[in-house]
Amino acid sequence: MNKISKDIFKNYFNKDPSNSSYAPGRVNLMGDHTDYNNGLVLPSPLSLGISLSILPSNNYKIDGISQQYGSLSRNLSNEIDGSWLDFVSGAIEVFYTHFPKNDCLLKKGIKIAVASNLPTDSGVSSSAAFSVALIKVISELENQHINPMKLAIMAQKIEHDFIGTKCGLMDQMVSSAGVKSKAMFYDVYKNYIENYPLLPGHDFLIFHSGSKRKLSESLYNKRRSECEKASFLMSVPDLRGANKELLKLLDKKLLLRASHVISENERVKNSCTALLEENADMFGEIMYDSHYSLSGNYEVSSIELDNLVKVAKDSGALGARLTGAGFGGCCVLLATRDNSEKIAEKIKKNIPNAWLVDIIN
Ligand code: GLA
């Protein structure tokens, strides 16, 4: 993948880049909308991702070429403008704020080429992969070692301060610290990570529902503030500290939101047990429960995602759920390896707009 961004760089700028980096997207197998509540998540890196190649320059500009979005250029000092260059400005700012240097190699300008095979607005963390790859490549250029957890926190800051999504830390953490073909159990409150094997003889299929995420930033931030309000009313610091007893203090809507988070944390624990016991039926059942809670209680599903889960179930998938923030994008399905191709075919036949994004096993 790095070769592709290097080639794009050379073709466009007629020069070799000085540094390249790669970061993967992710699928979340269990535990959505729990990370910003200090809860539990179980993501895994995808085989798809983003690669960058860069070279410091002297024209006080960001000159960029992206495989997906074409070329863009603006002055380094310009305000953010909603384009993908905002991630680049954000990364430079975040990096040099953390590591102030007298001679910042990128403070006089940067040339950058971006190659990606991750679909955007689809719930597979293309923006986290981009942010992680950016911090990685700048740290390599500046010979600054950063451990994967710190790197994830810096990447998250780009999204909070420059993109406007008050995301949790799951996506950046798995993109930076995750291990291929492992499920990464991450306890946000304890800042604790443990890798679990996936289910032998089974595939996790990442299927796009055919509709992109809509209004996701504003609705995502709204859910986050609903959780904060629920915590306040229950007098707990966050929903990790809540329990079912306290739910009676909430009105109907906040009760639904908090019930999702409390039960989803339990589902993450139970799905780790299912992985350890190699119990795919159990894992699959938990996936369906999680989807119904995300759809009914947390209200972050869509007609297309609900339909995909239904068709997956009717086609013989052991489990299926939306993955990531929701509001459109992808589902993850669990199937025995023998059956996964047949299930994928049935889904494509029933939902012509749906497509297989990746398989992990
Ligand atoms: C997005 C955010 C994550 C997480 C998920 C939902 O992917 O970036 O931090 O909150 O939504 O689980």
Side-chain angles (χ1 to χ4, degrees):
M1 189 90 200
N2 276 353
K3 173 153 181 354
I4 306 180
S5 72
K6 277 184 194 161
D7 288 347
I8 296 175
F9 191 100
K10 278 190 215 166
N11 282 338
Y12 187 73
F13 295 114
N14 278 320
K15 282 180 181 169
D16 282 324
S18 56
N19 301 82
S20 298
S21 69
Y22 173 80
R26 65 99 189 94
V27 55
N28 191 21
L29 303 176
M30 191 61 62
D32 272 308
H33 294 278
T34 45
D35 61 350
Y36 53 84
N37 288 301
N38 256 333
L40 309 175
V41 292
L42 192 69
S44 181
L46 291 180
S47 70
L48 308 175
I50 295 189
S51 145
L52 310 176
S53 289
I54 64 160
L55 181 70
S57 64
N58 284 314
N59 60 0
Y60 293 90
K61 284 189 167 195
I62 307 175
D63 294 305
I65 172 80
S66 145
Q67 204 180 19
Q68 281 171 317
Y69 298 111
S71 62
L72 274 181
S73 175
R74 75 174 185 218
N75 289 335
L76 209 50
S77 57
N78 278 18
E79 297 278 300
I80 53 173
D81 60 8
S83 76
W84 62 269
L85 296 187
D86 293 348
F87 283 89
V88 184
S89 313
I92 293 174
E93 190 64 35
V94 167
F95 183 88
Y96 292 115
T97 307
H98 265 78
F99 301 107
K101 306 211 173 206
N102 292 331
D103 188 17
C104 306
L105 290 170
L106 295 178
K107 285 279 175 148
K108 287 192 189 150
I110 177 173
K111 298 196 184 316
I112 177 165
V114 185
S116 170
N117 53 12
L118 265 179
T120 54
D121 297 320
S122 299
V124 288
S125 291
S126 55
S127 36
F130 191 25
S131 306
V132 168
L134 277 162
I135 299 290
K136 263 190 194 171
V137 82
I138 303 176
S139 61
E140 195 193 286
L141 173 80
E142 291 285 7
N143 271 319
Q144 176 68 58
H145 175 76
I146 309 179
N147 73 47
M149 283 195 175
K150 176 144 191 187
L151 200 147
I153 293 169
M154 290 169 72
Q156 182 197 37
K157 198 161 169 53
I158 302 175
E159 292 213 45
H160 279 202
D161 296 355
F162 293 83
I163 310 300
T165 312
K166 299 288 173 206
C167 56
L169 196 52
M170 162 174 72
D171 304 346
Q172 296 78 5
M173 197 61 104
V174 66
S175 181
S176 160
V179 179
K180 209 167 167 257
S181 295
K182 300 272 185 211
M184 188 186 92
F185 168 78
Y186 173 36
D187 181 329
V188 180
Y189 177 66
K190 295 186 181 154
N191 197 22
Y192 171 77
I193 286 178
E194 188 173 344
N195 285 310
Y196 285 81
L198 297 176
L199 294 159
H202 291 78
D203 288 336
F204 285 100
L205 291 87
I206 296 85
F207 242 98
H208 201 292
S209 64
S211 80
K212 288 211 164 195
R213 275 186 337 209
K214 291 169 215 98
L215 291 172
S216 56
E217 271 88 13
S218 55
L219 288 172
Y220 182 93
N221 290 344
K222 188 166 175 220
R223 288 294 175 279
R224 195 173 172 143
S225 56
E226 285 168 353
C227 290
E228 280 160 11
K229 191 163 176 207
S231 308
F232 175 77
L233 292 171
M234 292 189 284
S235 307
V236 288
D238 50 54
L239 291 184
R240 178 68 182 274
N243 57 49
K244 288 182 189 150
E245 266 299 290
L246 294 169
L247 291 175
K248 56 179 182 285
L249 297 169
L250 303 176
D251 67 24
K252 180 146 183 279
K253 187 177 75 186
L254 293 184
L255 185 143
L256 289 175
R257 306 293 188 249
S259 317
H260 165 73
V261 176
I262 294 170
S263 61
E264 188 81 346
N265 282 330
E266 284 305 307
R267 283 187 284 273
V268 173
K269 286 188 206 154
N270 295 338
S271 51
C272 288
T273 307
L275 289 181
L276 283 181
E277 293 176 356
E278 297 185 5
N279 188 338
D281 289 335
M282 175 175 167
F283 198 101
E285 279 307 312
I286 304 171
M287 289 173 85
Y288 285 123
D289 288 348
S290 168
H291 183 79
Y292 302 138
S293 176
L294 284 160
S295 180
N297 297 335
Y298 216 68
E299 297 183 274
V300 292
S301 190
S302 67
I303 294 171
E304 291 84 358
L305 288 168
D306 286 347
N307 187 38
L308 181 51
V309 168
K310 184 178 178 305
V311 172
K313 190 164 195 183
D314 294 345
S315 307
L318 299 176
R321 62 190 292 279
L322 70 84
T323 184
F327 313 109
C330 289
C331 282
V332 54
L333 281 52
L334 174 62
T336 57
R337 192 147 314 139
D338 297 345
N339 215 8
S340 69
E341 217 169 288
K342 265 185 250 151
I343 291 177
E345 283 315 312
K346 280 189 195 164
I347 292 174
K348 283 188 224 159
K349 207 169 144 215
N350 270 283
I351 314 176
N353 284 340
W355 50 282
L356 186 59
V357 173
D358 202 2
I359 296 181
I360 61 160
N361 49 41

